[in-house]
Amino acid sequence: MNAIISASELAGDLAGGNPPVLLDVRWQLSTAKAAGAPAFDGRAEYAAGHLPGAVFVDLDRELAAPPGREGRHPLPDLAEFGAAMRRAGVSSDRPVVVYDGGQGWAAARAWWLLRWTGHPDVRVLDGGLRAWEGPLSTETPVPEPGDFEPVAGTAGLLDADGAAALARSGVLFDARAGERYRGEVEPIDRIGGHIPGAVSAPTTENVAADGRFLPAEELRARFEALGAAGGTEVGVYCGSGVSAAHEVLALAVAGIPAALYVGSWSQWSSDPERPVAVGPDPR
């Protein structure tokens, strides 16, 4: 099953006999608050217009636990996550399609969480809301409660020690912008740089100008050139486990399984005992 779905395919599925549950996860990483500007309000964007029948999901409150020692977007409490998904109408026997405003990061976080906790059929709308050509709605649906019960996966998740080990034994991709990887700038976390051994692979380079993913063969060629070839074990991290989920999704499109370090740089860099590398060289 493909991990993404086009807008035209989605329109066809919505007209079919078992239409997918739609989750709207509009969110943006923003430093606007520090500059005195209002932060991005995904719920307000949703209220102004969304795919008909879509339910809003709050990334910060429903797809992550509060910030702390585990990072800025730690794994959510599974009981609370499950309750939020059931309120949104998610059931194990019904497909789910997740979208955001077009960047794809937040939708990928929801996709990863649902897949990691056992949902068998989740896809991300390729290109997000910008790709949708159908009508939008301002009505807030009240879906029939779902029955999805999340169960933590036994694979696909890295902690800090696992990420450090994978950077030595396999390939660990850093999905942040190159300047953050190199430690030239760090607008959010305590210190700049990267996990020693990690390879810079900005997730922004996995998509075209319209926000849609590059063709699978191009993605596979990119990741293989960066070291993800020949059955090599792959992991990904970013700032707080959101844009890295988008890179895990891109890897899935390319047919390459990858694990996610959810704590990412926000957790790693907060521990002064963890080593930090700077510059373009992985080590």
Side-chain angles (χ1 to χ4, degrees), residues 167-203:
R168 296 188 297 268
S169 65
V171 60
L172 180 66
F173 288 137
D174 185 318
R176 299 172 300 161
E179 58 268 25
R180 291 185 69 191
Y181 169 88
R182 295 188 295 271
E184 296 166 0
V185 298
E186 183 43 65
I188 304 172
D189 293 310
R190 182 183 69 86
I191 190 172
H194 58 269
I195 296 173
V199 176
S200 180
T203 199

Side-chain angles (χ1 to χ4, degrees), residues 11 13 41 48 62 70 72 79 90 102 133 136 146 159 164 183 186 192 196 209 233 248 250 271 273:
D13 286 359
D41 188 340
E62 296 173 318
E70 301 300 312
R72 277 195 307 281
V90 175
E133 296 180 353
L136 299 180
D159 60 12
E186 183 43 65
E233 189 177 357
V248 173
D271 183 352
E273 299 298 316

Side-chain angles (χ1 to χ4, degrees), residues 8-235:
S8 60
E9 290 172 324
L10 176 58
D13 286 359
L14 289 172
N18 186 31
V21 173
L22 296 177
L23 304 182
D24 183 311
V25 198
R26 271 179 274 184
W27 173 91
Q28 286 183 13
L29 176 65
S30 175
T31 56
K33 187 175 181 181
F40 177 84
D41 188 340
R43 191 175 294 276
E45 295 287 326
Y46 168 84
H50 51 266
L51 268 63
V55 176
F56 180 74
V57 174
D58 190 315
L59 185 149
D60 290 316
R61 293 178 175 83
E62 296 173 318
L63 304 182
R69 294 181 62 184
E70 301 300 312
R72 277 195 307 281
H73 290 104
L75 287 175
D77 176 85
L78 284 192
E80 294 179 9
F81 171 65
M85 293 299 97
R86 290 190 294 274
R87 284 195 303 273
V90 175
S91 291
S92 296
D93 62 352
R94 188 175 172 191
V96 177
V97 171
V98 192
Y99 71 91
D100 57 26
Q103 189 178 41
W105 295 3
R109 171 73 176 222
W111 166 84
W112 182 87
L113 270 171
L114 282 165
R115 293 291 292 157
W116 181 68
T117 56
H119 198 287
D121 190 351
V122 190
R123 287 176 289 177
V124 170
L125 175 58
D126 194 17
L129 187 63
R130 290 183 296 176
W132 180 252
E133 296 180 353
L136 299 180
S137 172
T138 57
E139 296 181 5
T140 301
V142 182
E144 192 78 22
D147 64 11
F148 179 64
E149 293 286 349
V151 177
T154 58
L157 177 68
L158 294 171
D159 60 12
D161 289 338
L166 186 57
R168 296 188 297 268
S169 65
V171 60
L172 180 66
F173 288 137
D174 185 318
R176 299 172 300 161
E179 58 268 25
R180 291 185 69 191
Y181 169 88
R182 295 188 295 271
E184 296 166 0
V185 298
E186 183 43 65
I188 304 172
D189 293 310
R190 182 183 69 86
I191 190 172
H194 58 269
I195 296 173
V199 176
S200 180
T203 199
T204 52
E205 296 179 16
N206 296 324
V207 296
D210 61 3
R212 292 180 174 90
F213 281 104
L214 299 175
E217 60 273 16
E218 290 186 28
L219 290 172
R220 174 173 281 275
R222 180 192 185 216
F223 291 126
E224 288 182 345
L226 291 171
T232 302
E233 189 177 357
V234 179

